[in-house]
Amino acid sequence: MTTLAAPGISTTASTLRRLYFVRFAFAIAWALVMFTTATHLGPLAVTLLVLYPLFDVAAAVIDARTSRATGSPTLLYVNVAVSLLAAVGLAVASASGIPAVLRVWGAWAVVAGLVQLIVGVTRRGMGGQWPMIISGGISMLAGGSFIATAAADNPVLTNAIGYAIPGGIFFLISAIRLGRAARAN
């Protein structure tokens, strides 16, 4: 499918493409570091768990500023609020243990995934959004899974790694697919 982009879409696609490449790199680096500490809820794990939604906040702010030319950034601001709440919730939940952390992480994944899905649907005309739509749907399902596994006998944080890696890969695929829209003038 060939996408013809208006100048506003081209600029937005170009910025989103760069942002998505950064989000891919962050997710993979985060997962690698988290892998070293995911067996227990120590200071490094807590820092990483809080850092992930804070990075999402920064990315959503950049996205919202960039996207004003192509549509309303309201849902991106909702994502900022939800991710800020998640970061605070994760910091507080870490004092209660892994089950509480998984519940907060899961609730965040459900809501953030829903926002990502809706934003992706509204941006379909730009191109490169099917990976974001799919990723949003998977995030919602994964969030439900995190909440459910919090009740397991011995819940672990490694599931969060399994959440970050595919999410990063979807950002990479979307960044590559946005190349055509970014080059259109």
Side-chain angles (χ1 to χ4, degrees), residues 145-162:
S145 173
F146 293 136
I147 294 167
T149 59
D153 289 335
N154 194 17
V156 292
L157 296 172
T158 53
N159 292 344
I161 298 166

Side-chain angles (χ1 to χ4, degrees), residues 14-175:
S14 180
T15 303
L16 288 179
R17 186 170 196 250
R18 287 189 304 274
L19 178 63
Y20 289 178
F21 277 129
V22 169
R23 290 191 76 163
F24 162 73
F26 175 81
I28 299 304
W30 182 91
L32 291 172
V33 176
M34 187 66 179
F35 186 74
T36 67
T37 188
T39 57
H40 67 285
L41 195 56
L44 180 58
V46 171
T47 301
L48 289 169
L49 288 165
V50 171
L51 182 61
Y52 200 93
L54 288 177
F55 186 84
D56 195 51
V57 167
V61 167
I62 292 166
D63 191 341
R65 288 180 179 164
T66 301
S67 300
R68 286 187 186 140
T70 58
S72 172
T74 302
L75 282 174
L76 295 167
Y77 290 124
V78 168
N79 191 51
V80 167
V82 168
S83 293
L84 281 172
L85 286 172
V88 171
L90 287 163
V92 171
S94 67
S96 298
I98 291 175
V101 166
L102 288 173
R103 286 183 192 99
V104 172
W105 188 271
W108 172 62
V110 168
V111 178
L114 178 61
V115 170
Q116 183 179 15
L117 187 149
I118 294 169
V119 169
V121 167
T122 62
R123 290 180 172 167
R124 277 189 337 263
M126 181 185 310
Q129 294 304 300
W130 282 107
M132 295 296 89
I133 294 167
I134 294 166
S135 179
I138 290 172
S139 181
M140 293 170 54
L141 295 172
S145 173
F146 293 136
I147 294 167
T149 59
D153 289 335
N154 194 17
V156 292
L157 296 172
T158 53
N159 292 344
I161 298 166
Y163 174 77
I165 292 172
I169 291 170
F170 279 116
F171 276 112
L172 175 63
I173 294 167
S174 189

